[in-house]
Amino acid sequence: MNRTVRAIAGVLIALALAGCEDPVDRSIVRGDRYLAVGDTDMAIAEYLLAQRVRGDTDDLLLRLGHAYAARGDVDEVIAVYQTLTDRDPGLRHQAAASLAGLAWAARERGAGENMSRALQPLLGWGLGYLPADLQRSLAARYADEGDDARALSLRLALLAEEGDPDPAVLYEIGLAYEQLGACTRALPFLRKFLETAEDSDPNRDAAGFQYGECLFESADEDRAEGRPGAALEKLDEMVELGVPRPRMVDAHFQRGELRLALGELDEALASYAMVLELNPTRTHALVRRAEERIRQIRFGFE
């Protein structure tokens, strides 16, 4: 703190202390003035002095929490506000505003861990205390850490709050479901993203690939659970989409198997023929099986 600022603080304190007799009140006034000019160390020292005499009053804890937040002391802020709000839940909104300010400042510095720690009490109190932009940032933080389940829960809550969802949120939800192995749940979100996102959106190609992959995985689930019609619809959509290309031979072969089981022989033949067409070198593991199926359909099953 430079001399000019300290001088200003001294003048403000002197004016404020005029007629102030109680030593605790004088410490609080001095703390307020130091905090007003940005001298958080001196402000905290004055508030702690008042606290030792007067105890943990709501008024003092609020001041102390704001001062710790201004200095960026995450653990101290949380401890103070936890004590305060455990005693009086009605003060959560004031504490939440201070913690959100601390989280915004941490995010600006690129301190993602501090941002996440500052927001933990707000999560415990309910998502209504958590600003939407910080909710997005926290979800992204969880996703970066590989905690897809927690990221997903925050993004689903955002989606429920927003009548016209941001395509980015749709993509993030679809991606989280896909990474959690829940492709069937991912499909509607990825589909909606592809329908609403701009052609220039940097996530379009990745979303298309993941959508095709999830169509294949979900079709496999449908087939295993005795829903051939649903499986065929998804495989047809995947083939029309054309991605992911490494899955195309498998997709055509599975379409052939499903058509064959349904007695649709011409359609099955066409699907098996596509297996051969897509692998002219005949190196794919499914080529021989496709050739055998073609012979069986044309010349009869033994």
Side-chain angles (χ1 to χ4, degrees), residues 17 19-28 53-54:
L17 289 176
C20 185
E21 301 294 338
D22 189 302
V24 174
D25 289 339
R26 292 170 71 87
S27 285
I28 293 172
V53 177
R54 187 166 288 178

Side-chain angles (χ1 to χ4, degrees), residues 19-255:
C20 185
E21 301 294 338
D22 189 302
V24 174
D25 289 339
R26 292 170 71 87
S27 285
I28 293 172
V29 169
R30 284 195 295 268
D32 290 346
R33 297 305 175 183
Y34 280 127
L35 188 59
V37 297
D39 192 344
T40 54
D41 291 340
M42 288 298 295
I44 290 168
E46 293 291 349
Y47 293 147
L48 289 174
L49 179 61
Q51 183 187 35
R52 282 195 290 273
V53 177
R54 187 166 288 178
D56 286 337
T57 66
D58 290 352
D59 184 56
L60 262 176
L61 287 176
L62 278 171
R63 282 177 157 85
L64 194 54
H66 287 315
Y68 279 134
R71 197 168 70 177
D73 297 337
V74 178
D75 292 333
E76 289 80 357
V77 174
I78 292 174
V80 167
Y81 284 146
Q82 201 64 59
T83 299
L84 182 67
T85 56
D86 283 349
R87 190 166 63 202
D88 185 358
L91 294 172
R92 285 177 178 174
H93 284 290
Q94 294 183 60
S98 183
L99 286 165
L102 181 58
W104 276 313
R107 185 179 65 183
E108 287 298 313
R109 297 194 310 272
E113 182 179 352
N114 280 350
M115 179 198 72
S116 178
R117 285 163 54 214
L119 295 176
Q120 294 312 303
L122 279 63
L123 291 176
W125 301 337
L127 291 178
Y129 293 95
L130 185 61
D133 69 313
L134 287 175
Q135 193 168 329
R136 290 189 184 91
S137 296
L138 187 57
R141 171 77 182 176
Y142 287 150
D144 289 342
E145 293 174 342
D147 194 344
D148 294 309
R150 295 178 76 184
L152 178 60
S153 67
L154 289 177
R155 286 164 174 160
L156 287 171
L158 275 173
L159 187 63
E161 294 169 9
E162 298 174 350
D164 187 16
D166 183 346
V169 175
L170 293 169
Y171 173 67
E172 290 160 355
I173 292 173
L175 180 61
Y177 272 129
E178 188 253 345
Q179 291 176 341
L180 287 168
C183 263
T184 299
R185 289 182 176 272
L187 285 173
F189 297 101
L190 293 173
R191 183 185 301 117
K192 186 67 173 176
F193 169 78
L194 292 169
E195 292 171 352
T196 57
E198 299 288 339
D199 290 341
S200 58
D201 192 300
N203 291 318
R204 277 197 72 87
D205 289 344
F209 184 93
Q210 287 146 356
Y211 183 60
E213 183 70 28
C214 274
L215 284 169
F216 185 84
E217 296 293 338
S218 186
D220 197 49
E221 291 178 15
D222 287 333
R223 183 186 57 78
E225 294 172 11
R227 297 187 294 270
L232 270 172
E233 286 181 10
K234 290 170 183 172
L235 289 172
D236 289 345
E237 186 178 358
M238 175 191 168
V239 166
E240 183 177 353
L241 186 65
V243 290
R245 292 186 63 82
R247 291 280 206 181
M248 283 297 115
V249 170
D250 300 80
H252 282 291
F253 184 82
Q254 291 302 331
R255 290 171 83 209

